[in-house]
Amino acid sequence: MKRLALILLAVCTLAVGAAPVPTESDSDRLARLWGKVDAPPGPYVAKPVGKLLMLRSIGWTLGFEYSEPRFKIVREWAGDFDIRVKVNSLDSPKRSVKYDSDGPQSAAGLTIFGNGRCISLYHWMAYNKSDGVLNEEMQSSIWLAHSTANSGGGGSNL
């Protein structure tokens, strides 16, 4: 009788140990590796691809200039830390897409914000408007921008 009990225990242990491990969803992996998606309503893609992060949206004002971007991945940190950001690719804005304001634009980079202040370093591409008509040539530049509760500034002469 003791022999039978030991065999059943071994079989039960094997069955429990063989249960499949649930796969992590893209949204859970994104939150764990990168942070929380903060986006206006509408279509967007925020997806971890290996060690990279792919972000795509269409039609929103970027808001990069002297404030927080409207579409972003947010992660809070406190204390001393190092950050490295590498923009691997940035899609050119499509002239045919209607944007909330201004002309078609795209940007990617890093914004650090807190206590009513922010600093941003980003690659920006845009088709600017002159008298309501899109220019033929696209502007492409690297921007460093900053803001406080009362003012903001920046430039692309980097």
Side-chain angles (χ1 to χ4, degrees):
M1 200 50 120
K2 285 185 179 182
R3 240 182 181 176
L4 181 59
L6 291 175
I7 291 172
L8 286 175
L9 179 61
V11 169
C12 290
T13 302
L14 287 177
V16 170
V21 175
T23 57
E24 186 176 36
S25 70
D26 278 349
S27 60
D28 289 342
R29 186 165 178 241
L30 177 73
R32 179 177 57 82
L33 294 175
W34 296 93
K36 177 183 163 246
V37 175
D38 187 1
Y44 68 85
V45 173
K47 180 179 179 178
V49 180
K51 292 183 178 183
L52 304 177
L53 174 62
M54 179 176 59
L55 301 175
R56 290 185 181 199
S57 66
I58 296 179
W60 299 326
T61 302
L62 292 172
F64 247 110
E65 295 161 345
Y66 307 117
S67 62
E68 298 174 26
R70 290 184 61 199
F71 175 46
K72 57 192 174 275
I73 303 298
V74 178
R75 185 170 199 155
E76 292 186 21
W77 279 305
D80 295 334
F81 52 88
D82 292 324
I83 296 177
R84 274 195 287 173
V85 174
K86 179 179 179 183
V87 176
N88 283 343
S89 66
L90 175 61
D91 293 340
S92 299
K94 304 220 181 302
R95 291 178 57 88
S96 60
V97 174
K98 180 169 176 23
Y99 283 70
D100 289 345
S101 65
D102 303 325
Q105 54 185 296
S106 60
L110 174 68
T111 298
I112 301 171
F113 55 91
N115 297 326
R117 295 167 174 80
C118 78
I119 186 166
S120 299
L121 178 62
Y122 57 96
H123 182 184
W124 180 66
M125 293 190 280
Y127 287 102
N128 297 309
K129 288 184 179 180
S130 296
D131 297 323
V133 178
L134 288 180
N135 294 338
E136 288 299 317
E137 291 188 31
M138 181 181 63
Q139 177 183 353
S140 177
S141 54
I142 304 297
W143 276 84
L144 177 62
H146 61 88
S147 70
T148 65
N150 301 322
S151 67
S156 62
N157 297 328
L158 302 176

